Amino acid sequence: MQVDYIIVGLGLAGLAFIKELDVNNKSYIVFEDNSQNSSVVAGGMYNPVILKRFTAVWNAVDQLDLALPFYKAFEKQFNKKYNYSLDIYRIFKSVEEQNNWFEACDNPLLTKYMIPKLITKNFEGIRAKYGYGKLTNTGRIDTKALLEDYRNYLSAKKLIRYESFKYSELEIYDKNVSYQEISALKIVFCEGFGLKKNPFFKYLPMQEAKGELLTIHAPDLNVNFLIKAAVFVLPLGNNFFKVGATFNWKDKTKFPSKEGKQELKTKLESFVTAPYKIVEHIAGIRPTVKDRRPLVGTHAKYQNLAILNGLGTRGVMIAPMAAKALYKHLENGSALDKEISIARFQ
Ligand SMILES: Cc1cc2nc3c(=O)[nH]c(=O)nc-3n(C[C@H](O)[C@H](O)[C@H](O)COP(=O)(O)OP(=O)(O)OC[C@H]3O[C@@H](n4cnc5c(N)ncnc54)[C@H](O)[C@@H]3O)c2cc1C
């Protein structure tokens, strides 16, 4: 079997790179072993404002310019909705925070998103003594549904193998690589936290950040926007909400924990007074990097081995931009932005 690319891992990183391959009529085969699930459990939010400090996310506007049409193309391809517009209401903790909000609204990068008004309306079941700041033009991608649909699509075309990629069986030559009976011009590794097992790239400084999420049913909570305070409460419809997420820098498993659940409940109850029932508890590991930038580039010695990883806490927005940059680098020799290139760690 001869292909242009082997792709290892089908989370948001793999999906974004495959999209580049599809658009450019390149052939590929994908390996996926379900050892990680960050993209499947993700809240899926896109929002260009850091909600702690009210500053702009790195390159957010450019990222969104690419990301929104990227997800729209899948909606067209599968005739299904994945992108749900969702305003965000940030609960203020103090008068000082209210003032910071108004200052931040002057940032020309953020005027499209931050509403320069204090929302004081009372919503039943929510405690917000200092009111809310509202963000608009934000939303959620149903990453789970999108990835499921894409996997089915690849399965039907026999372009995906549900098995672990065995690094020791990869043979590397000057102009191609071979793996079992497959010969490919290049291989792109998109394993998320699975990177830790990759002998070619595991030297890169990935700081895994485990996150846990609850799904709750709260019949008396009637809001159609995302509430952000100690945790976020994201409406899924019919009074179901996702609540998350925790950050744990020590636990390297993708399994939900008792401590994670308790933390989410405590934080949720600090501002939601409506009764609720937990219907699901999930976890995953965010592949984050110390400098909060993606890991993109080729191996220092083997130019036909590439990596697309380090999407961190914002894979929904970053993946399409990082994938496009990698594709142009591999196919056209375009230089990678120093901020995302793995050359910064060599
Ligand atoms: C709780 C939580 C909430 C989040 N919320 C948001 C959010 O609201 N908005 C946002 O933008 N981001 C969010 N994120 C972050 C986002 O999920 C990540 O940035 C993104 O999903 C990372 O994608 P990835 O493809 O790099 O990794 P992954 O999704 O982990 O995908 C890697 C894939 O590679 C496969 N794999 C690994 N090793 C091998 C191997 N040897 N052989 C075959 N397959 C292999 C794995 O099974 C996996 O499917 C959240 C993450 C978590 C955990």
Side-chain angles (χ1 to χ4, degrees), residues 8-14 31-46 147 151 163-167 190-195 209-213 232 245-246 282-287 308-317:
V8 182
L10 185 64
L12 286 171
F31 286 83
E32 171 53 56
D33 68 357
N34 290 315
S35 56
Q36 297 297 323
N37 60 351
S38 185
S39 303
V40 178
V41 303
M45 283 302 297
Y46 58 88
L147 282 164
R151 285 181 185 191
E163 59 191 63
S164 276
F165 183 84
K166 298 184 194 75
Y167 303 96
C190 310
E191 309 112 310
F193 178 49
L195 169 88
K210 178 174 176 176
E212 301 192 35
L213 285 164
F232 66 71
T246 58
I282 49 176
I285 302 188
R286 307 170 184 90
L308 184 57
N309 208 320
L311 303 184
T313 57
R314 294 177 197 275
V316 167
M317 281 170 59

Side-chain angles (χ1 to χ4, degrees), residues 4-37:
D4 294 316
Y5 282 86
I6 295 171
I7 309 296
V8 182
L10 185 64
L12 286 171
L15 178 73
F17 195 78
I18 291 169
K19 192 73 195 165
E20 290 297 321
L21 298 180
D22 275 340
V23 168
N24 292 287
N25 291 317
K26 299 284 182 190
S27 56
Y28 56 85
I29 180 90
V30 182
F31 286 83
E32 171 53 56
D33 68 357
N34 290 315
S35 56
Q36 297 297 323
N37 60 351

Side-chain angles (χ1 to χ4, degrees), residues 144-160:
K144 185 175 180 213
L146 173 56
L147 282 164
E148 271 173 14
D149 289 345
Y150 211 79
R151 285 181 185 191
N152 290 337
Y153 164 77
L154 291 180
S155 297
K157 296 180 104 186
K158 298 197 169 27
L159 295 178
I160 186 164

Side-chain angles (χ1 to χ4, degrees), residues 13 36 133 224 259-260 311 324 329 331 343:
Q36 297 297 323
N224 60 358
E259 296 74 25
L311 303 184
K324 194 171 271 309
H329 179 65
E331 290 293 327

